[in-house]
Amino acid sequence: MLIYGKEVAANTLEKITVETQRFCEKYSRKPTLAVIIVGEDPASQTYVRNKINGCKQVGFDSLSYEYADGTQQEEIIERIKSLANDDRVDGILVQLPLPKGYDEEKILANIPDSKDVDGFNASNIGCLCLNRPRTVSCTPLGVMHMLEYTGVDIAGKNAVVLGRSNTVGKPMAMLLLNANCTVTVCHSKTQNISDFTKKADILVVAIGKPKFVTGDMVKDGAIVIDVGINRVDGKLCGDVDFDSVSPKTSYISPVPGGVGPMTISMLLYNTLMCAKARENK
C-alpha cells in the first residue's frame, strides 16, 4: 500500500485550519511565521513560496525577508534578533541551505527556543531526547504522522534509520525510540548495512543516494519510508529503488508524493504550537 504524504498533509492542514480559527477567536490575532531567505537558489525560493502559500491556506499571517548572497552575516542576525523580540511573530525560519560563506550554526543559534519552528535549536533537540518534545524537526515529525496514518501499532517494532543527519536521521531515531520502537541507526561507516535493513519492520531512508536500498535488502512486509529526493536523468527518485522494494512491503512512500508534502504541513503545525505556547505562558 502506498502512503501518499499529500493525503496525510491535507488531513493535517484541515485540522490546523480549524484550530487556527479557534486561536484567532480566542486571542484576536493570527499566528505569524517569519521566513528569511538568503540568495537566489531556485529550489529555496520555491520552498519559501510554498511555505508562504501554506500560511495563507490555514489562516496564518506571514512575513518574508529576502537577502542577496553576500549580505553581511551580522545583518541577518540582527534581523533574527529583531523578530525574536517582536510580539507579533510566533515562529522564525531561516531557509536552508545557506549560501557558502555563512555560519549556519551561528545564525540559527539566534532563534529563541520559543520561536524555533524548524526544531533545530539545541534546547529543543535536548527536550526531544528527554521525551519532552516541544517543536520537532518537520520532516521526521511528518514521517511519524505518516506511520500513524497507516493504523499500524509500531510499539515494539524493529526500526532502522539510514542516515544520521541532525535535521532528519537523529531526530527520526529519537521519535521512533520515544514511540517504543527498538531503533538502529546506520550511516556511512556502518558495515554490512543489509544485515540491519533485512531485520527492519520499519525502514526510514534519508542518505541522499539514489535507489540505494534494493529489494534484497528489505524484509517481507516491512514499512518503508523514503525521505530521499534525488534527480537522475532529469527525473526525481528517492533513496529507495521503488520498483524492486515495493512488492515486498506492506506500506511504502513514493518519491515524489511521499514525505515531501508533509514538511510544510508540519512547519505550520509547529508554528501553531509555538503560538499557543506563547499565549499560555
Side-chain angles (χ1 to χ4, degrees):
M1 302 235 352
L2 295 179
I3 315 174
Y4 285 110
K6 189 174 182 180
E7 292 179 8
V8 187
N11 182 268
T12 302
L13 290 173
E14 286 181 12
K15 294 178 181 177
I16 293 172
T17 301
V18 171
E19 287 298 312
T20 299
Q21 290 172 346
R22 291 174 181 164
F23 180 92
C24 294
E25 291 170 1
K26 185 173 182 179
Y27 299 110
S28 301
R29 72 177 187 86
K30 295 181 180 181
T32 300
L33 174 66
V35 182
I36 294 172
I37 181 172
V38 183
E40 298 180 357
D41 178 71
S44 291
Q45 290 182 331
T46 298
Y47 291 142
V48 167
R49 188 162 54 249
N50 290 341
K51 290 166 183 175
I52 297 300
N53 289 337
C55 287
K56 293 178 182 177
Q57 181 180 345
V58 298
F60 290 4
D61 279 339
S62 62
L63 303 169
S64 181
Y65 301 91
E66 300 181 13
Y67 293 93
D69 187 1
T71 299
Q72 291 294 314
Q73 181 165 296
E74 286 306 316
E75 183 177 343
I76 298 166
I77 290 174
E78 285 304 313
R79 171 64 68 183
I80 294 173
K81 289 180 178 179
S82 174
L83 293 170
N85 293 319
D86 189 337
D87 284 338
R88 297 173 303 163
V89 175
D90 299 296
I92 303 170
L93 179 146
V94 176
Q95 181 62 42
L96 302 178
L98 292 169
K100 291 182 179 179
Y102 290 92
D103 188 335
E104 186 175 293
E105 184 176 345
K106 183 177 180 180
I107 289 174
L108 295 180
N110 289 277
I111 300 175
D113 305 349
S114 61
K115 298 187 179 185
D116 172 33
V117 289
D118 259 335
F120 293 160
N121 184 288
S123 177
N124 283 327
I125 293 171
C127 286
L128 174 61
C129 292
L130 295 173
N131 200 12
R132 298 201 299 265
R134 294 182 300 200
T135 52
V136 178
S137 183
C138 299
T139 299
L141 187 60
V143 171
M144 294 303 293
H145 278 248
M146 293 173 73
L147 290 172
E148 181 181 355
Y149 198 73
T150 67
V152 174
D153 182 4
I154 66 173
K157 302 290 188 183
N158 289 323
V160 174
V161 179
L162 298 193
R164 56 176 172 178
S165 69
N166 292 333
T167 55
V168 180
K170 289 177 183 177
M172 187 76 254
M174 292 309 308
L175 284 168
L176 289 165
L177 184 62
N178 291 345
N180 297 315
C181 292
T182 300
V183 182
T184 302
V185 179
C186 298
H187 46 80
S188 60
K189 303 301 181 183
T190 302
Q191 298 182 9
N192 302 318
I193 285 180
S194 62
D195 290 347
F196 300 96
T197 59
K198 287 177 181 177
K199 298 177 182 177
D201 301 308
I202 300 166
L203 179 62
V204 181
V205 189
I207 54 175
K209 293 186 177 182
K211 301 183 179 182
F212 177 84
V213 174
T214 52
D216 60 338
M217 298 172 66
V218 177
K219 175 182 178 180
D220 285 336
I223 298 174
V224 177
I225 306 292
D226 189 353
V227 181
I229 184 162
N230 312 280
R231 189 172 291 277
V232 177
D233 297 328
K235 295 183 178 180
L236 293 178
C237 68
D239 293 346
V240 174
D241 180 19
F242 185 87
D243 291 340
S244 67
V245 172
S246 58
K248 300 186 70 174
T249 62
S250 58
Y251 291 93
I252 186 170
S253 67
V255 176
V259 176
M262 292 302 301
T263 302
I264 290 178
S265 65
M266 293 298 98
L267 170 67
L268 299 174
Y269 172 84
N270 280 347
T271 303
L272 181 58
M273 293 302 102
C274 285
K276 287 183 175 181
R278 292 182 64 238
E279 293 290 351
N280 292 290
K281 289 180 181 177

